[in-house]
Amino acid sequence: MRRDYTIYFFAAIGSFLIVFIALPLMVIFAKQAYDYKMLIKTLHDPLVLEALRNSVLTATATAVLSVLFGVPLGYVLARKDFRGKSLVQAIVDVPVVIPHSVVGIMLLVTFSTAILDSYKGIVAAMLFVSAPFAINAARDGFLAVDEKLEQVARTLGASQLRAFFSVTLPIAFPSIASGAIMAWARAISEVGAVLIVAYYPKTAQILVMEYFNNYGLRASRPISVILIAMSLTIFVILRWLVGRKIKV
C-alpha cells in the first residue's frame, strides 16, 4: 500500500497556529526571567495580590452560576422542540458576537448603579460573555445521551427528575465540566465589559491595563506573567481532573 502523507501535511499546516500561540507565551516568560527582580517585587505588591484574588473569585462565581442556570437550559434545548427555539439559541449565542465594550454599556444602561463598581458588576459582565460556553456544552452533552436510556429508567419506576440525575447527567458530565472550564477561562480573561461596568474593585486583567497605561510595558509585564501562569495552572488542573473522571 502506498504511504499516505496527508496527516503529516495537515499537521505541518496546523502547526502554524501552535507556534503562533506558543511563541508569545515563551517570549514573555523568557523576558520576564531576565527581569526576575521586577517579578519578585510585583509578587509582594498587595494591590496585585488582591486583584488576582478578585479575578479568581469572580471567575469562579461566574462559572458556578453559568453551570447552575446553563445546565437546565441546555437540557431543554437538547430535549424539547418548541416555537421560538431558534430565537432562544440565537440569544444564547449573541454574547459571542457583540463587542465586549458594548456589553458593558448595555449592562450599565440596564442595571445602572446596582452593578456599578461592585463585585456584582464584575460577575454580571463575566457571566454575560461566558454563559454561552456552559449552555452550549451542556446542550451538546445532553444531545449525545440516547433518550432511550432515560426511557428505560422511567419504565423502571424512576421519575423524570431522578432519571436525569441518575442517568443523563452522569453521562453528559464530561461535556458539562468542559463547558464550566471554558466559562471560567472566558470569565477570567474578560476585560472590555468589566472595564466599563466595574473598574473597582480591581481585577488582575484591569490592573494590567492600568499599569501599562501609567507605567509602561516593564511594569505591566510581571502581572501578565503571573496571571498567565496562574490561569494556565488552574486550567490544566481542571482539565486533568475532568480527564480522570472520564477514565473512571
Side-chain angles (χ1 to χ4, degrees):
M1 182 182 293
R2 186 178 179 180
R3 190 168 186 179
D4 192 344
Y5 291 95
T6 302
I7 190 68
Y8 299 103
F9 176 65
F10 285 175
I13 294 175
S15 62
F16 165 78
L17 291 177
I18 299 299
V19 174
F20 181 75
I21 295 170
L23 184 60
L25 290 172
M26 292 187 294
V27 170
I28 193 172
F29 277 102
K31 288 192 174 183
Q32 192 57 61
Y34 283 105
D35 193 14
Y36 67 92
K37 291 182 179 179
M38 191 67 176
L39 179 62
I40 295 174
K41 179 182 178 181
T42 302
L43 284 170
H44 288 84
D45 187 337
L47 183 60
V48 172
L49 297 178
E50 183 181 1
L52 290 169
R53 179 183 64 84
N54 289 339
S55 291
V56 172
L57 290 179
T58 51
T60 302
T62 300
V64 171
L65 289 174
S66 296
V67 171
L68 183 63
F69 293 102
V71 169
L73 178 55
Y75 183 77
V76 172
L77 293 174
R79 289 290 185 260
K80 189 72 174 176
D81 289 323
F82 54 90
R83 183 178 298 177
K85 181 177 179 179
S86 58
L87 176 61
V88 172
Q89 186 63 66
I91 292 173
V92 168
D93 293 333
V94 158
V96 178
V97 298
I98 297 179
H100 295 163
S101 56
V102 176
V103 170
I105 296 296
M106 291 193 308
L107 291 174
L108 275 184
V109 169
T110 303
F111 301 106
S112 189
T113 56
I115 63 171
L116 182 64
D117 287 341
S118 66
Y119 287 108
K120 290 186 294 184
I122 297 173
V123 173
M126 289 180 171
L127 184 62
F128 193 98
V129 300
S130 63
F133 294 94
I135 297 169
N136 289 330
R139 181 204 60 203
D140 294 342
F142 291 132
L143 282 173
V145 179
D146 194 337
E147 287 188 67
K148 293 179 180 179
L149 296 176
E150 294 181 24
Q151 294 169 2
V152 169
R154 296 293 301 278
T155 59
L156 294 175
S159 65
Q160 185 172 4
L161 186 62
R162 184 175 180 183
F164 171 80
F165 280 107
S166 61
V167 177
T168 311
L169 187 61
I171 298 175
F173 175 79
S175 293
I176 295 171
S178 293
I181 293 171
M182 290 306 300
W184 183 89
R186 184 63 196 85
I188 204 168
S189 65
E190 176 53 30
V191 177
V194 175
L195 181 65
I196 291 175
V197 172
Y199 194 80
Y200 298 99
K202 284 278 174 49
T203 55
Q205 50 269 50
I206 300 301
L207 195 63
V208 168
M209 290 190 60
E210 182 179 287
Y211 272 42
F212 177 75
N213 290 330
N214 293 336
Y215 310 113
L217 185 60
R218 184 169 181 259
S220 62
R221 188 177 59 200
I223 310 175
S224 301
V225 168
I226 296 168
L227 186 58
I228 292 169
M230 182 185 69
S231 300
L232 282 177
T233 300
I234 295 175
F235 193 80
V236 169
I237 291 173
L238 290 174
R239 284 291 190 189
W240 177 73
L241 290 174
V242 171
R244 285 194 61 188
K245 179 68 176 179
I246 294 173
K247 291 179 181 179
V248 173

